[in-house]
Amino acid sequence: MYCTHCAKHIDEAKLEAKQSSFALVEGEIDENAKIAYVCPRCGHLVHDGIDEEETKSLSRAAHAQVQRARNYFASGMGMVSLGAILLAIAILFFVLAHKPTNGYTLFDASGNLAMSAEFLVSVILGLVSVILLATGGVFVVHGVLTKKRNTDLLRDINNGTFVQ
C-alpha cells in the first residue's frame, strides 16, 4: 500500500503482524469491511480502492519522492568523492610521517610512537574520510532504493496496472 498524500510505502504484513486490525474492533466484523491505516509519515488515512483523483495525488507525491531520491543520491556522491579525496591526502600525510630521522618508521629511538604533526593530520583526515565515506554510502543506497521503488510505482500508474 502507498499513502496517496506522501507516497510512503506501507507494508501491511508488518503492521498486521504487530497488531491485528480485527483484534482492535469490538464485536464482529464482516468480510467486506474496509481496513484503513494511518500513514506514519503524514498522518493521512491509507485505504484500498483509490479513485482517479487519489491516483493523481499519488503520482504527484511519487514524482516528489523521485526528486528527493535524486537529491539524496547527489549528496551521497558528493560526500563519497570528498571522503575519497581526504583519504588520499591522509595516506600522503601518513607516508610523510615516516621521517628519515626515525629510520623511516613511526617510532622514535626509545620505541615510543612519534607524535609528529604529519601523523596527527593523517589520523584526523583518515577519521573524517571514513565518516564521510560511510555517510555518503548510506545516502547513495537510500537514494537508489527510493528512486527505484517510486519509478516502478510511476510506471505501474502510467501503464494502468497499479492496484492499491
Side-chain angles (χ1 to χ4, degrees):
M1 269 190 170
Y2 288 91
C3 175
T4 57
H5 187 259
C6 67
K8 177 165 178 57
H9 177 70
I10 298 172
D11 191 5
E12 302 163 57
K14 287 183 182 177
L15 290 177
E16 290 295 328
K18 287 182 183 176
Q19 186 173 14
S20 176
S21 298
F22 292 114
L24 294 174
V25 178
E26 298 173 3
E28 292 192 21
I29 239 180
D30 63 346
E31 295 174 359
N32 298 329
K34 286 195 170 194
I35 297 174
Y37 300 102
V38 176
C39 178
R41 183 185 294 165
C42 66
H44 282 77
L45 286 179
V46 180
H47 56 87
D48 289 340
I50 59 176
D51 60 1
E52 186 177 341
E53 189 60 36
E54 289 175 327
T55 304
K56 289 179 182 179
S57 174
L58 178 60
S59 177
R60 286 190 295 269
H63 279 312
Q65 284 293 96
V66 167
Q67 186 59 41
R68 277 190 208 98
R70 287 179 182 152
N71 289 342
Y72 269 113
F73 181 78
S75 297
M77 289 303 289
M79 287 182 192
V80 166
S81 62
L82 186 61
I85 291 168
L86 289 180
L87 184 64
I89 294 171
I91 291 171
L92 288 175
F93 271 95
F94 185 74
V95 170
L96 288 174
H98 293 81
K99 295 183 178 185
T101 56
N102 294 336
Y104 296 104
T105 63
L106 290 176
F107 300 98
D108 57 8
S110 62
N112 295 329
L113 185 64
M115 295 301 259
S116 63
E118 293 88 358
F119 180 71
L120 290 176
V121 168
S122 71
V123 169
I124 291 170
L125 285 178
L127 289 174
V128 170
S129 67
V130 166
I131 291 169
L132 282 173
L133 288 171
T135 306
V138 168
F139 275 28
V140 166
V141 168
H142 176 68
V144 166
L145 293 178
T146 303
K147 183 179 177 190
K148 181 181 179 341
R149 181 173 51 244
N150 285 292
T151 52
D152 290 345
L153 173 64
L154 286 171
R155 185 178 61 241
D156 289 344
I157 290 172
N158 287 335
N159 291 338
T161 58
F162 175 72
V163 177
Q164 177 90 336

